[in-house]
Amino acid sequence: MATETQQMLQGYGNFGSSLRDLPRLRDSRRRRESSWDRTGGNRDRLQVAPGATMQLADISGPGSVQHIWATVAPVAGSPDSEPDYLRKLWLKITWDNESSASVFAPLSDFFGVGHGRTLNYASAPLQMSPEDGQGLNCFFHMPFAHRAKFELISELTETEVYFYYYIDWEELDALDAELGYFHAQYREQTFIPADQGDETNHQFQTTGTNLDGRKNYTILEARGRGHYVGCVLSIKNLRETAEWNWYGEGDDMIFIDGEPFPPSLHGTGTEDYFNTAWCPTQSYAAPYHGLTLPGGENWSGEISMYRFHVEDPVTFKTDIRVSIEHGHANKRGDEYSSVAYWYQTLPHLPFAPNNL
């Protein structure tokens, strides 16, 4: 019978990803699923018709996905009436024959930038690489015990696309019992603004009270045991005014294991949670936080930002709700969308009907 130490070496192992751990020898076997041309030619891609569902991989475990790379391009001559095609191509991942997917999100949002946009940026777990961010990379590790099923779902109605991809994974002899399953969920919501009445613009943007957090935008709601490891939050500024039109001031509130208001993790403002300051207008990308789309003049248009809890995961034993105000006291009416990333035990709380 293998010793506990031997079992650790045969399984996922006590390995980090730092340069310090690279010399440590291990017994896993590297594997890959990709779109290489099985005829030996150079058409190393899938051709995805409008409305099609394509299986990218169906892998038997135990194993752990370590890296995903993808890029997309419309087929020459395909209609250009769907410029937001990256928001109509969905990545779906299902673990261990679960009845519902654990990952379901539009491609661009999943890889770190909202609004169907790509641009060059680099964080630790997610990156978009040249040309113009069209090289999509994910380095979140995704261990699984029995099966990993990857699918690409097209919700396009006219546009046909080429899809190139790698899914790099390790084949293992065993999987440690204490490993959670990777999850990522997309959400979106458009809010109706509060009645401004006789308030000045400044009063509307900065006054009012919120003493329960119930009307906050929900980034994540999960049940089970696990830890939240971050999000991408995107906002479309819908307020029409020539006055100060900062979209933020909304506090982050994370409710853990059914705790009442105020939660243990209560923040001070949108830019503060995303580790920036003073209504930022500049693009910025760091390993664990960034502002990839700062918006236009007076914070108009499209904004996208990320915060990853790699060094400070938020653990929960039974449930978690990650939320943020849409403007101070939830008074602004903007368009919100997000992808939350977390690890947890299976089964998970099924996603909303439009997020299967």
Side-chain angles (χ1 to χ4, degrees):
M1 183 174 180
T3 65
E4 182 177 349
T5 300
Q6 289 172 327
Q7 289 174 343
M8 284 289 288
L9 290 174
Q10 292 171 352
Y12 186 86
N14 187 23
F15 305 121
S17 58
S18 69
L19 293 176
R20 177 183 58 82
D21 289 310
L22 281 180
R24 194 188 303 265
L25 300 180
R26 57 199 78 185
D27 295 325
S28 62
R29 296 160 296 282
R30 280 295 304 272
R31 299 289 185 259
R32 173 178 293 162
E33 297 286 339
S34 78
S35 56
W36 70 278
D37 187 343
R38 269 62 174 174
T39 72
N42 193 37
R43 295 188 177 185
D44 298 314
R45 66 207 182 200
L46 300 182
Q47 191 160 330
V48 185
T53 295
M54 308 293 288
Q55 181 170 291
L56 307 180
D58 194 348
I59 305 168
S60 296
S64 181
V65 174
Q66 299 175 320
H67 172 239
I68 303 170
W69 167 87
T71 191
V72 187
V75 173
S78 192
D80 59 2
S81 57
E82 298 173 287
D84 59 343
Y85 62 89
L86 286 175
R87 263 211 163 162
K88 295 180 179 179
L89 294 168
W90 292 70
L91 178 65
K92 180 179 180 181
I93 308 175
T94 309
W95 307 119
D96 291 1
N97 298 309
E98 284 289 299
S99 59
S100 61
S102 291
V103 173
F104 196 62
L107 278 182
S108 59
D109 296 80
F110 176 83
F111 286 98
V113 179
H115 308 292
R117 302 271 297 275
T118 64
L119 48 85
N120 295 339
Y121 91 97
S123 72
L126 299 173
Q127 298 157 16
M128 289 185 176
S129 307
E131 181 70 9
D132 297 325
Q134 294 181 89
L136 310 175
N137 289 275
C138 172
F139 289 93
F140 278 116
H141 281 225
M142 308 177 188
F144 58 96
H146 304 294
R147 186 185 185 194
K149 184 178 180 181
F150 285 71
E151 297 171 277
L152 181 72
I153 300 173
S154 173
E155 292 188 345
L156 294 162
T157 58
E158 298 180 337
T159 307
E160 192 168 17
V161 300
Y162 292 131
F163 184 73
Y164 302 73
Y165 70 95
Y166 286 25
I167 299 171
D168 290 316
W169 60 287
E170 276 190 311
E171 186 180 72
L172 304 171
D173 292 329
L175 197 69
D176 301 345
E178 284 297 292
L179 294 175
Y181 284 78
F182 178 77
H183 289 69
Q185 182 188 15
Y186 175 82
R187 287 174 174 254
E188 63 179 31
Q189 188 172 357
T190 301
F191 294 97
I192 298 173
D195 182 8
Q196 184 168 340
D198 295 330
E199 293 181 329
T200 65
N201 182 70
H202 188 266
Q203 288 172 331
F204 179 78
Q205 298 263 83
T206 62
T207 64
T209 58
N210 177 10
L211 296 176
D212 56 25
R214 293 178 183 175
K215 295 183 179 180
N216 296 357
Y217 174 71
T218 297
I219 295 171
L220 168 63
E221 190 165 13
R223 296 177 190 169
R225 177 188 172 211
H227 45 269
Y228 164 65
V229 296
C231 72
V232 172
L233 179 67
S234 302
I235 301 170
K236 186 172 183 179
N237 191 329
L238 300 180
R239 182 168 169 79
E240 296 182 1
T241 178
E243 299 183 271
W244 185 65
N245 199 18
W246 165 238
Y247 58 84
E249 297 304 311
D251 293 355
D252 55 293
M253 304 179 196
I254 302 179
F255 297 82
I256 302 169
D257 296 338
E259 65 183 348
F261 184 93
S264 300
L265 300 177
H266 193 303
T268 58
T270 306
E271 72 270 45
D272 307 339
Y273 173 69
F274 289 94
N275 296 166
T276 60
W278 299 109
C279 312
T281 61
Q282 302 166 349
S283 299
Y284 181 77
Y288 306 136
H289 72 280
L291 179 60
T292 52
L293 293 174
E297 184 178 355
N298 201 15
W299 302 282
S300 60
E302 297 174 343
I303 298 100
S304 193
M305 60 202 100
Y306 62 87
R307 167 71 160 98
F308 297 126
H309 295 271
V310 174
E311 303 296 341
D312 57 341
V314 181
T315 58
F316 55 96
K317 294 181 179 179
T318 60
D319 59 86
I320 189 171
R321 180 181 176 231
V322 180
S323 72
I324 193 166
E325 295 178 304
H326 45 98
H328 175 69
N330 293 315
K331 294 171 76 173
R332 284 190 59 103
D334 296 315
E335 180 182 294
Y336 275 61
S337 58
S338 61
V339 176
Y341 308 88
W342 75 103
Y343 291 88
Q344 71 158 91
T345 54
L346 295 179
H348 66 270
L349 186 68
F351 297 170
N354 64 330
N355 286 347
L356 303 178

